[in-house]
Amino acid sequence: MLQYQLPEILRTPLQELCLQIKSLQLGTAGSFLAKALQPPDSLAVQNAIELLKTIGALDDREELTPLGRHLCTLPLDPNIGKMLLMGSIFQCLNPALTIAAALAHRDPFVMPIERKEEADAAKRSFAGDSCSDHIALLKAFEGWKEAKRNGNDRAFCWENFLSPVTLQMMEDMRMQFLDLLAGIGFVDKSRGPAAYNQYGQDLEMVCAILCAGMYPNVVQCKRRGKRSAFYTKEVGKVDIHPASVNAAVHLFPLPYMVYSEKVKTTSIFIRDSTNISDYALLLFGGNLIPSKTSEGIEMLDGYLHFSASKSVLDLIRKLRGELDKLLNRKIEEPGFDISREGKGVVTAAVELLHSHNIRY
């Protein structure tokens, strides 16, 4: 083992640090970080910059975008911060706050080795047939809140292998995140929570918001006989972490997954995954690029390819274009009421998310 632990700058993601460097107008992130006593690898810096460009926080000249300026004010991983903003914009705020708190702090589920099967079953019961770790923790938190109102939260945590300390920390963090969103104008507390939660119980919309935040952490689910195999752009084949509710699923109803992180132990595993539809990716993922080789739409430099009839592709492009216009205006003017001005566009997007006929 190393005599001393590696400096934090060499062992943590650099996206948030790069955003802060740009917000303080300290020049390019690469040249500034190169002055550190033990500078991070230049490839790690470049990867962080490319990710920030992919999620729309930096432009092609490595300058902050309006979205990037908002993300600088949120002391969170930029992906989680973007999910929070999208949750407030698309009236899905409560789920976004809960999931963001869990991802920023820790998973509330505990896995005692001697009772692992019972703990796994409890976690799967919260997920239902959603094929989502994020939905599982969302439902667990909501169950805890209900139990707390009834005065039996300790028993609820014991029976469902949940940490009451972690759940309380998540509750506190949710309030902090809400204050931060109010501070930058995305939430008006005087309107009450109902104004930001019209789609709070719509799990298709929740998964779409997750897609907006987790992108480009996307996995393709490909059927191989009686099981699904999983592939990412960067490393090819990956596996689902054994602690995931999706580890016990053989075939998935939808063609893609988003995930929180990859870890490498005996294999490369994805943690905290959610099965999503192609429509969620088309509406809330990256930029849509016309296919160079055939009719269709591509993302992630051609790694993701979507095929359909010309009329359907044109409809998706038009709807995505209208959504992007609304989002850009909302991000530049946080007080802009997207629920009123863009109601038709949002309604059309929600209907498209439901059109794959999968019900949770």
Side-chain angles (χ1 to χ4, degrees):
M1 295 179 67
L2 294 173
Q3 187 174 1
Y4 301 103
Q5 188 177 31
L6 281 173
E8 186 175 0
I9 199 172
L10 299 180
R11 54 186 167 84
T12 58
L14 297 173
Q15 295 91 280
E16 191 177 347
L17 179 58
C18 289
L19 269 186
Q20 295 303 320
I21 291 170
K22 298 307 299 183
S23 71
L24 295 171
Q25 300 180 346
L26 298 173
T28 63
S31 60
F32 182 82
L33 289 172
K35 300 173 185 177
L37 290 175
Q38 290 181 276
D41 186 83
S42 59
L43 180 60
V45 177
Q46 187 56 40
N47 287 341
I49 294 297
E50 289 303 316
L51 176 62
L52 291 172
K53 289 180 179 179
T54 299
I55 68 175
L58 296 178
D59 61 21
D60 291 337
R61 297 176 300 164
E62 201 182 306
E63 297 298 329
L64 283 174
T65 63
L67 173 62
R69 285 194 290 273
H70 289 307
L71 293 178
C72 286
T73 67
L74 301 174
L76 292 163
D77 179 279
N79 287 87
I80 301 175
K82 184 178 179 181
M83 184 181 68
L84 273 180
L85 293 177
M86 296 292 282
S88 67
I89 292 170
F90 286 96
Q91 300 179 352
C92 198
L93 183 56
N94 272 339
L97 288 170
T98 300
I99 294 168
L103 295 179
H105 181 49
R106 68 175 63 173
D107 192 322
F109 291 96
V110 293
M111 294 285 178
I113 295 176
E114 68 279 5
R115 301 180 65 188
K116 185 178 182 303
E117 290 185 4
E118 295 174 71
D120 286 340
K123 188 174 182 179
R124 287 195 301 269
S125 71
F126 286 115
D129 58 358
S130 66
C131 299
S132 170
D133 291 301
H134 303 100
I135 298 300
L137 69 85
L138 174 62
K139 293 299 182 183
F141 182 83
E142 290 174 348
W144 172 73
K145 290 279 286 183
E146 180 64 28
K148 195 175 181 182
R149 284 191 288 270
N150 296 330
N152 62 341
D153 48 309
R154 283 189 170 276
F156 179 84
C157 289
W158 178 259
E159 292 167 5
N160 292 287
F161 299 89
L162 292 164
S163 164
V165 174
T166 300
L167 289 165
Q168 186 57 56
M169 179 64 76
M170 286 171 57
E171 173 70 354
D172 296 340
M173 292 178 74
R174 289 174 88 258
M175 295 301 102
Q176 293 173 23
F177 294 161
L178 191 61
D179 289 339
L180 289 168
L181 290 172
I184 58 177
F186 280 85
V187 171
D188 181 355
K189 288 187 174 181
S190 66
R191 296 181 62 188
Y196 298 95
N197 285 290
Q198 180 180 345
Y199 300 108
Q201 299 300 316
D202 187 325
L203 296 190
E204 274 86 358
M205 179 57 86
V206 174
C207 290
I209 296 304
L210 278 166
C211 175
M214 300 297 171
Y215 186 88
N217 289 354
V218 181
V219 170
Q220 292 190 58
C221 306
K222 296 185 177 181
R223 182 164 183 161
R224 296 290 183 263
K226 295 182 178 181
R227 301 182 70 91
S228 292
F230 313 100
Y231 300 87
T232 66
K233 177 187 175 185
E234 300 82 10
V235 298
K237 192 174 185 305
V238 295
D239 296 306
I240 296 175
H241 195 275
S244 169
V245 299
N246 290 325
V249 180
H250 298 315
L251 290 174
F252 289 83
L254 301 173
Y256 300 100
M257 277 191 193
V258 288
Y259 63 93
S260 302
E261 62 177 351
K262 289 195 297 282
V263 294
K264 185 175 182 179
T265 53
T266 54
S267 178
I268 298 177
F269 294 102
I270 56 170
R271 296 180 65 99
D272 301 322
S273 55
T274 289
N275 197 206
I276 61 166
S277 70
D278 39 10
Y279 291 129
L281 264 176
L282 287 165
L283 294 179
F284 291 88
N287 294 328
L288 304 183
I289 303 169
S291 175
K292 296 176 182 177
T293 57
S294 63
E295 285 291 324
I297 298 173
E298 294 179 349
M299 280 185 195
L300 289 178
D301 299 324
Y303 178 70
L304 301 178
H305 182 89
F306 307 89
S307 299
S309 66
K310 185 177 184 301
S311 60
V312 171
L313 291 176
D314 289 343
L315 178 64
I316 289 171
R317 287 192 191 98
K318 185 176 180 181
L319 181 55
R320 174 64 185 271
E322 293 300 315
L323 266 179
D324 286 346
K325 285 180 188 176
L326 285 172
L327 281 173
N328 289 336
R329 183 172 174 188
K330 176 68 176 178
I331 288 167
E332 291 178 1
E333 307 172 38
F336 171 65
D337 190 352
I338 196 171
S339 63
R340 184 177 63 187
E341 302 291 336
K343 185 176 181 181
V345 176
V346 174
T347 301
V350 173
E351 289 177 354
L352 190 59
L353 290 173
H354 284 262
S355 65
H356 50 72
N357 297 320
I358 298 295
R359 296 181 61 85
Y360 293 123

